[in-house]
Amino acid sequence: MAERFLAPHEAAIAAAGVRLVLHSEVVGELDDELLARALAHLGVAHPLLIGTITTDERGRRRVRTGSSGPELVLGRGTDLNEEINAPLTWEQGPLLRTTVLRTPGVPDRCRVVTTLPRAFADAMSHQALHRHLWALYGDLAAGRPVPADPVRPVLGPALDDVLAALFPPERLRDFVAERARLDAEFPPALLPAPASHDGGPGPDPTFRVIGIEAGPDRGERLARRAHDASLTVNALVCGALLTALRSLSREPGPVRLLCTIAVDMRRRLSPPIPTEVLQSAATTTSIRLPIDDHPDPVDVGRDLDAKLRADLADGSAAMELAAFPHMLDHHPPSLVITNVGTIDEPTPRDGPRVGDVRLAPLGHVPMIFAVVSRYRGRLAVDLTYSRAWYTDPQITELAHTTSAILHDLTT
């Protein structure tokens, strides 16, 4: 058993109840009993999954692995919206929730949903966990031996501490002061939060995910357009998202948007953190962009890409998390974008086929999350939000506008 107090960024995420949901479409006959056995082995490999997050009398949050609480169980349901809004029991454990969703009358197609606290998972580790689950399923289906050793470390150090050790305290103080000055002089624009109440969350506590999808042909055309503009696909999609968000503002002239980009730190540390280690190993970098009322998404993507590269080069991305306790009162972002890249297809040697995989961070926070992913040639942008802050028509309009811009870029 291992335990430690949560670091500031972990504690803030846990306090907001932010969960990371991975849902995959399964084509073929799924053996629930076999999947439940695979889950049990997954808990052995990752004792954190059967851990707890508790709060002491001083309000300090602590994580404990391999507690004596409930083991991993396989739940069953029918509706994805119900599942992503299911109450979680991190205080009692376990930390992993797994559910099979089936549509009555459709025996050869279902959806498997795994939910983790975002405080101890990121897109990379959740994907690795998903692949591990299907590898275990395939081994059990074929009667092959299953490894019994846990992935180590079973509880990694907080990324806050790792990054803070890289910078002198005075440099972090200067960094925080400069960000505060920028926002005070040029406050970034935010999408109105009409579902809120008296400055706080409104009465509807549910989450919603609205997806935008480009099939393999359109995704390939988007990749060619990005290449022709000397951009990554992600930079071009970010340009489309910010152009769409800018269009929702009726103000004339340049509007300053604050785009928070997730940055995976695993491979940037020395030694790198293996993807198999469950940990919140992603930071963010906040990019401030003035965007005119008739922007070109290619130009927006180019500006964002240049600033992102600069922030990675000068350490700004790492400093945002290293200085996290001092950043809590800063201006919230206009949009949070996470690019999870190309998701590897789990290929159990024995078992059904995984037809699609999507990820969604969901929390009771006044932020809109956009997750960009690719899987088997398709490109998806999932907009996730809390109905305590935003309304469905708002995010639907953002999704439709983004989809139209992506269509224009590929015709």
Side-chain angles (χ1 to χ4, degrees):
M1 180 185 298
E3 62 179 330
R4 64 170 172 79
F5 286 112
L6 272 63
H9 102 274
E10 296 170 334
I13 292 171
V18 181
R19 61 190 74 187
L20 185 61
V21 177
L22 185 151
H23 53 104
S24 56
E25 181 187 47
V26 179
V27 181
E29 186 176 348
L30 177 69
D31 186 328
D32 287 19
E33 182 180 349
L34 209 58
L35 187 60
R37 288 173 56 197
L39 268 179
H41 285 285
L42 196 68
V44 173
H46 299 276
L48 181 60
L49 300 177
I50 53 175
T52 57
I53 298 175
T54 58
T55 307
D56 65 17
E57 64 281 357
R58 296 172 57 185
R60 298 176 301 178
R61 293 179 183 266
R62 181 192 299 269
V63 61
R64 177 177 296 168
T65 69
S67 70
S68 58
E71 297 295 314
L72 298 178
V73 296
L74 183 64
R76 291 167 180 81
T78 59
D79 186 82
L80 180 61
N81 281 328
E82 289 183 3
E83 178 58 26
I84 65 174
N85 285 289
L88 301 175
T89 56
W90 296 337
E91 288 274 343
Q92 294 79 34
L95 297 186
L96 174 67
R97 176 185 173 92
T98 306
T99 305
V100 176
L101 304 179
R102 282 192 168 88
T103 301
V106 185
D108 60 346
R109 193 177 293 266
C110 64
R111 190 169 292 277
V112 175
V113 186
T114 54
T115 303
L116 285 166
R118 173 63 183 83
F120 293 102
D122 51 26
M124 297 300 103
S125 59
H126 205 153
Q127 290 180 64
L129 189 75
H130 182 244
R131 293 192 298 270
H132 193 174
L133 176 62
W134 284 113
L136 289 168
Y137 181 98
D139 287 342
L140 292 170
R144 291 186 290 268
V146 175
D149 296 330
V151 174
R152 297 193 179 278
V154 296
L155 180 61
L159 191 63
D160 308 50
D161 299 332
V162 174
L163 296 181
L166 302 178
F167 303 100
E170 58 273 14
R171 186 176 179 191
L172 293 179
R173 286 195 298 269
D174 292 344
F175 173 79
V176 172
E178 175 61 14
R179 291 300 173 95
R181 184 191 66 79
L182 288 173
D183 286 345
E185 290 183 4
F186 306 101
L190 293 174
L191 191 66
S196 63
H197 180 71
D198 290 339
D204 187 345
T206 60
F207 306 118
R208 178 111 187 257
V209 180
I210 295 179
I212 306 161
E213 187 165 317
D217 289 344
R218 192 166 151 214
E220 178 60 30
R221 293 198 300 272
L222 195 66
R224 287 199 300 269
R225 181 64 189 274
H227 181 268
D228 291 344
S230 300
L231 289 174
T232 64
V233 172
N234 182 58
L236 186 56
V237 173
C238 287
L241 280 164
L242 291 175
T243 298
L245 185 64
R246 169 64 183 90
S247 73
L248 301 187
S249 173
R250 312 308 178 198
E251 296 182 31
V255 169
R256 190 180 182 89
L257 296 182
L258 173 55
C259 177
T260 296
I261 302 288
V263 177
D264 174 34
M265 295 301 297
R266 290 176 179 270
R267 59 187 173 84
R268 292 182 168 89
L269 295 173
S270 182
I273 301 174
T275 57
E276 293 77 17
V277 176
L278 285 172
Q279 191 167 354
S280 175
T283 182
T284 58
T285 187
S286 298
I287 296 172
R288 293 152 176 83
L289 289 176
I291 302 180
D292 213 331
D293 44 7
H294 296 290
D296 180 342
V298 174
D299 290 339
V300 175
R302 186 174 287 113
D303 290 346
L304 180 140
D305 189 56
K307 290 180 181 294
L308 174 60
R309 292 177 186 276
D311 282 357
L312 292 173
D314 68 9
S316 293
M319 283 191 284
E320 281 208 11
L321 191 60
F324 185 85
H326 308 289
M327 305 284 285
L328 288 173
D329 295 330
H330 281 201
H331 201 283
S334 310
L335 184 67
V336 180
I337 303 177
T338 300
N339 172 31
V340 302
T342 299
I343 299 174
D344 293 332
E345 181 179 358
T347 53
R349 287 180 284 175
D350 294 88
R353 180 173 64 85
V354 180
D356 196 10
V357 181
R358 309 283 269 263
L359 288 105
L362 295 159
H364 299 290
V365 291
M367 298 179 190
I368 305 166
F369 295 92
V371 179
V372 183
S373 66
R374 276 159 282 176
Y375 188 81
R376 300 182 68 198
R378 71 98 180 103
L379 183 139
V381 180
D382 290 311
L383 300 174
T384 76
Y385 60 100
S386 167
R387 283 168 153 170
W389 299 94
Y390 306 103
T391 65
D392 294 345
Q394 280 182 296
I395 311 304
T396 298
E397 183 181 1
L398 177 60
H400 286 169
T401 305
T402 302
S403 183
I405 292 171
L406 293 175
H407 181 270
D408 289 344
L409 287 168
T410 54
T411 54

